[in-house]
């Protein structure tokens, strides 16, 4: 382990942030890295517990105490090797993961947990800076071919693993650039897109082919892929957006969050034509939904120069402390305050939107809400109850619906006649769908989730595809029964 008494000697230190009033002037990432000496001390806080619960807290099973130890000893290249053994893209998770590993860190029982996510980010950034992240093409090819549909984190992870096993991999993506929600959902201030591009160059260097602007099921038929490839991996995400079927939902000014975020990401990428009506400048903005998507709408609205930004969440305000019914090492539902929340937003909890109000020209002018409380009914189920007399009208020119996603689109599911689970996701036990040779991974299989889960799914699926093609597989496989319940 790093330093035997490290956790007693050093307090947790996190990377710094440029002040909100400065950082909102542009879309760049705004973190300020720790000095190397500080990072080593942070690695030295790891206790190398007999049972490292962080391993099971991390959906990828990252070997956290091992890379912490290497960082403490200044062995950065070794740390990068350890990290990449379980995580294809630590530069994504090191920036964007909600770090369930830290909630499961043993030190977190009575002190601040080890700053695992930040250590992860610094290892991979150092690896890129030093030129250690280079293409590793397979030594020999199997002459089997795999089509991966979708280039989000699950598709990219599956592609890299399968290519490293020697298969010839082509990734099909309907958007004009690769990355899925990493590119078109998540704003630059959380992750600049050159972070995707530099990894993409490595994947291309390893021999993976990317075909963008190719919509499988529309511009190219899935039967063609079935005929031309030995296996198909569906990584199309869970992109069906939840809407809010209330009066006024059709008004001009009510937009789906992804329409707003995608347009802004494209603008930052140099697209010169956009819909000026989906720009928040000088508007009173209300973001409905308190998750990651809502938070990204807040940060983007503020950067576009919104007059006011308010965020509604139908759930009660969680406690800052871990709730007693979600004890360590489980991932607790506690109050999360993102960097965007600190940039100037009013957060309102326990509130339900009842109606959008418009003017004679069909433009949104306000929202009518009421306060709600969650009660447990006679059957022990939680129910939403409106509080009488709490109706209120809020002035609003622009409302973003950040209400989550209901599941994968039906195009490929219908065309392939795939079985689905109760939630409408592709049913793929051990990642194999009901159609031979067709596999599924990521949000398309598990429903709306996290980047770390998408990478894990892509890796797991790759093992099963490889075993299907070759009879057995040397690709790593995580114990699928060992996971802690989590998001
Ligand atoms: C705004 C927003 C912010 C988020 N922030 C975070 C965060 O901070 N941290 C975190 O961990 N998670 C976050 N998430 C969740 C995370 O982005 C997803 O869980 C993850 O991207 C899922 O990966 P995926 O590969 O399964 O699918 P996706 O990333 O959705 O990629 C699917 C890809 O498949 C393509 N595709 C679909 N159908 C076809 C077809 N028929 N032909 C060709 N291509 C097709 C799509 O165009 C897309 O590029 C966020 C999600 C959103 C919406
Ligand atoms: S990927 Fe996420 S959960 Fe895993 S070690 Fe990194 S921050 Fe923790």
């Amino acid at each position: 382990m790093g330093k035997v008494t490290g956790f007693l000697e050093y307090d947790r230190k996190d990377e710094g942030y440029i002040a909100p009033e400065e950082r909102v002037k542009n879309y760049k990432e705004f973190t300020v890295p720790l000095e190397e000496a500080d990072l080593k001390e942070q690695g030295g806080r790891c206790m190398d517990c007999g049972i490292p619960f962080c391993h099971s807290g991390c959906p990828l099973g990252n070997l956290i105490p091992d890379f912490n130890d290497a960082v403490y000893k200044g062995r950065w290249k070794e740390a990068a090797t350890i990290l990449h053994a379980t995580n294809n893209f630590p530069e994504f998770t090191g920036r964007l993961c909600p770090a369930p590993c830290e909630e499961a860190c043993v030190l977190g029982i009575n002190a601040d947990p080890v700053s695992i996510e930040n250590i992860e980010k610094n290892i991979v950034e150092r690896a890129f800076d030093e030129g250690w992240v280079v293409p590793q093409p397979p030594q020999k090819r199997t002459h089997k071919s795999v089509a991966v549909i979708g280039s989000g984190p699950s598709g990219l992870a599956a592609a890299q693993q399968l290519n490293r096993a020697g298969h010839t991999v082509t990734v099909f993506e309907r958007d004009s650039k690769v990355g899925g929600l990493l590119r078109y959902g998540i704003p630059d201030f959380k992750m600049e897109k050159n972070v995707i591009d530099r990894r993409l160059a490595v994947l291309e260097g390893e021999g993976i082919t990317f075909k963008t602007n190719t919509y499988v099921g529309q511009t190219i038929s899935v039967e063609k892929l079935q005929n031309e490839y030995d296996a198909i991996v569906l990584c199309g995400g869970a992109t069906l957006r939840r809407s809010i079927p209330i009066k006024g939902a059709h008004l001009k000014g009510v937009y789906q969050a992804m329409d707003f975020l995608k347009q802004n990401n494209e603008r930052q990428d140099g697209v010169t034509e956009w819909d000026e009506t989906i720009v928040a400048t000088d508007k009173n903005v209300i973001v409905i939904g308190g998750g990651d998507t809502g938070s990204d709408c807040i940060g983007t609205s503020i950067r576009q120069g919104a007059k006011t930004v308010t965020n509604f969440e139908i759930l009660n305000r969680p406690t800052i402390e871990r709730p007693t019914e979600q004890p360590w090492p489980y991932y607790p539902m506690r109050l999360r305050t993102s960097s965007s929340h600190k940039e100037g937003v009013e957060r309102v909890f326990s509130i339900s939107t009842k109606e959008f109000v418009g003017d004679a020209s069909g433009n949104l002018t306000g929202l009518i809400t009421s306060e709600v409380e969650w009660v447990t009914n006679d059957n022990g189920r939680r129910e939403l109850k409106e509080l009488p007399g709490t109706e209120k009208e809020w002035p609003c020119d622009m409302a973003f619906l950040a209400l989550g996603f209901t599941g994968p689109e039906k195009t490929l599911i219908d065309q392939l006649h795939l079985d689905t689970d109760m939630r409408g996701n592709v049913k793929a036990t051990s990642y194999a769908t009901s159609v031979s040779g067709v596999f599924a991974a990521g949000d398309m299989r598990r429903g709306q989730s996290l980047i770390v889960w998408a990478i894990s799914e892509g890796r797991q699926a790759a093992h099963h595809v490889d075993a299907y093609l070759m009879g057995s597989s040397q690709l790593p496989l995580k114990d699928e029964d060992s996971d802690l319940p989590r998001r």
Side-chain angles (χ1 to χ4, degrees):
M1 70 183 281
K3 188 169 191 190
V4 180
T5 51
F7 68 100
L8 296 171
E9 288 174 40
Y10 310 125
D11 288 335
R12 177 176 166 125
K13 260 193 203 168
D14 288 300
E15 60 188 352
Y17 294 102
I18 295 173
E21 45 293 0
E22 269 308 305
R23 68 193 190 216
V24 299
K25 292 179 184 162
N26 60 59
Y27 289 87
K28 293 192 185 314
E29 288 184 27
F30 48 77
T31 51
V32 182
L34 291 178
E35 296 295 329
E36 179 164 358
D38 286 332
L39 281 165
K40 285 182 174 175
E41 286 182 1
Q42 292 303 300
R45 290 185 75 232
C46 179
M47 303 190 293
D48 194 16
C49 318
I51 299 174
F53 282 84
C54 52
H55 276 201
S56 9
C58 172
L60 287 160
N62 273 354
L63 305 170
I64 295 162
D66 303 67
F67 66 62
N68 281 335
D69 179 53
V71 166
Y72 175 67
K73 291 176 177 150
R75 297 184 191 147
W76 289 92
K77 194 168 186 182
E78 182 185 322
T81 305
I82 296 167
L83 184 54
H84 279 104
T86 52
N87 187 354
N88 301 63
F89 314 122
E91 65 277 26
F92 305 158
T93 47
R95 285 172 169 78
L96 300 165
C97 190
C101 55
E102 294 186 18
E103 298 290 359
C105 172
V106 177
L107 191 52
I109 296 173
N110 65 348
D112 288 332
V114 175
S115 50
I116 302 167
E117 183 182 13
N118 191 235
I119 292 172
E120 176 175 350
K121 175 176 161 188
N122 278 277
I123 296 170
V124 66
E125 287 309 310
R126 176 80 177 248
F128 271 106
D129 287 351
E130 299 275 359
W132 300 329
V133 185
V134 290
Q136 296 173 36
Q139 305 222 315
K140 58 176 190 202
R141 289 282 172 191
T142 60
H143 306 292
K144 303 275 184 192
S145 60
V146 183
V148 175
I149 303 176
S151 69
S154 65
L156 295 181
Q160 187 169 45
Q161 293 297 96
L162 286 164
N163 185 67
R164 285 188 172 165
H167 308 306
T168 304
V169 180
T170 307
V171 179
F172 294 87
E173 171 54 57
R174 66 183 170 194
D175 273 319
S176 56
K177 287 199 172 181
V178 165
L181 289 174
L182 296 172
R183 189 177 295 276
Y184 292 110
I186 288 159
D188 280 21
F189 54 82
K190 272 170 64 181
M191 186 172 78
E192 287 174 31
K193 302 304 175 257
N194 62 347
V195 174
I196 306 173
D197 295 336
R198 71 181 178 187
R199 181 61 78 171
L200 194 55
V202 175
L203 300 183
E204 284 172 331
E206 290 178 352
I208 299 170
T209 303
F210 291 91
K211 293 198 172 172
T212 51
N213 297 313
T214 311
Y215 194 154
V216 181
Q218 286 200 9
T219 57
I220 177 173
S221 81
V222 73
E223 290 80 19
K224 184 171 161 64
L225 298 191
Q226 280 180 297
N227 291 334
E228 290 178 4
Y229 291 84
D230 296 304
I232 293 178
V233 194
L234 304 174
C235 297
T239 44
L240 288 183
R241 301 130 176 221
R242 187 170 281 118
S243 55
I244 181 166
I246 56 172
K247 195 171 165 203
H250 63 282
L251 290 168
K252 282 177 261 171
V254 181
Y255 296 106
Q256 278 286 346
M258 269 309 294
D259 291 336
F260 174 60
L261 294 173
K262 187 169 187 195
Q263 169 166 289
N264 199 65
N265 275 321
E266 286 173 335
R267 281 177 70 180
Q268 297 316 308
D269 193 36
V271 168
T272 49
E273 282 181 24
W274 59 82
D275 180 352
E276 198 56 50
T277 59
I278 322 183
V279 176
T281 315
D282 294 329
K283 306 251 172 74
N284 291 307
V285 172
I286 294 183
V287 178
I288 306 175
D292 282 334
T293 309
S295 168
D296 292 346
C297 288
I298 293 167
T300 305
S301 300
I302 291 171
R303 280 164 182 72
Q304 288 189 353
K307 206 188 287 172
T308 62
V309 185
T310 308
N311 186 206
F312 289 170
E313 170 57 60
I314 201 164
L315 298 174
N316 298 337
R317 177 187 282 271
T319 52
I320 294 176
E321 298 306 323
R322 178 189 278 279
T324 43
E325 69 277 15
Q326 294 161 19
W328 176 91
Y330 291 103
Y331 189 80
M333 294 324 237
R334 56 170 135 196
L335 182 70
R336 317 246 159 214
T337 301
S338 73
S339 56
S340 294
H341 291 135
K342 294 180 182 157
E343 291 170 355
V345 60
E346 183 189 357
R347 293 173 85 181
V348 187
F349 290 85
S350 313
I351 190 164
S352 169
T353 307
K354 296 177 64 175
E355 186 182 332
F356 295 105
V357 185
D359 61 17
S361 314
N363 297 310
L364 178 72
T365 56
L367 260 70
I368 296 177
T369 63
S370 65
E371 293 173 27
V372 291
E373 73 174 351
W374 291 86
V375 290
T376 308
N377 68 18
D378 295 342
N379 303 324
R381 299 187 69 162
R382 295 210 341 123
E383 252 179 19
L384 197 62
K385 201 178 121 204
E386 218 174 279
L387 296 180
T390 58
E391 238 181 49
K392 176 174 172 180
E393 182 164 347
W394 304 69
C396 172
D397 316 302
M398 190 164 244
F400 295 125
L401 309 181
L403 304 163
F405 300 84
T406 56
E409 290 166 31
K410 301 294 169 236
T411 315
L412 292 174
I413 293 176
D414 290 347
Q415 291 183 8
L416 285 162
H417 307 291
L418 297 176
D419 288 351
T420 53
D421 67 16
M422 277 162 54
R423 295 184 300 151
N425 302 319
V426 174
K427 193 171 177 183
T429 316
S430 293
Y431 299 85
T433 70
S434 50
V435 173
S436 177
V438 179
F439 295 76
D443 282 7
M444 196 162 185
R445 190 186 86 101
R446 71 182 289 122
Q448 179 196 4
S449 186
L450 295 171
I451 294 158
V452 63
W453 270 113
I455 299 172
S456 168
E457 292 252 325
R459 291 172 64 85
Q460 296 289 96
H463 173 97
H464 292 289
V465 175
D466 187 33
Y468 164 82
L469 293 173
M470 307 303 289
S472 66
S473 176
Q474 299 291 314
L475 287 175
L477 183 69
K478 201 184 53 158
D479 176 1
E480 281 163 17
D481 298 325
S482 71
D483 302 326
L484 291 169
R486 55 179 93 86
R487 276 167 91 183

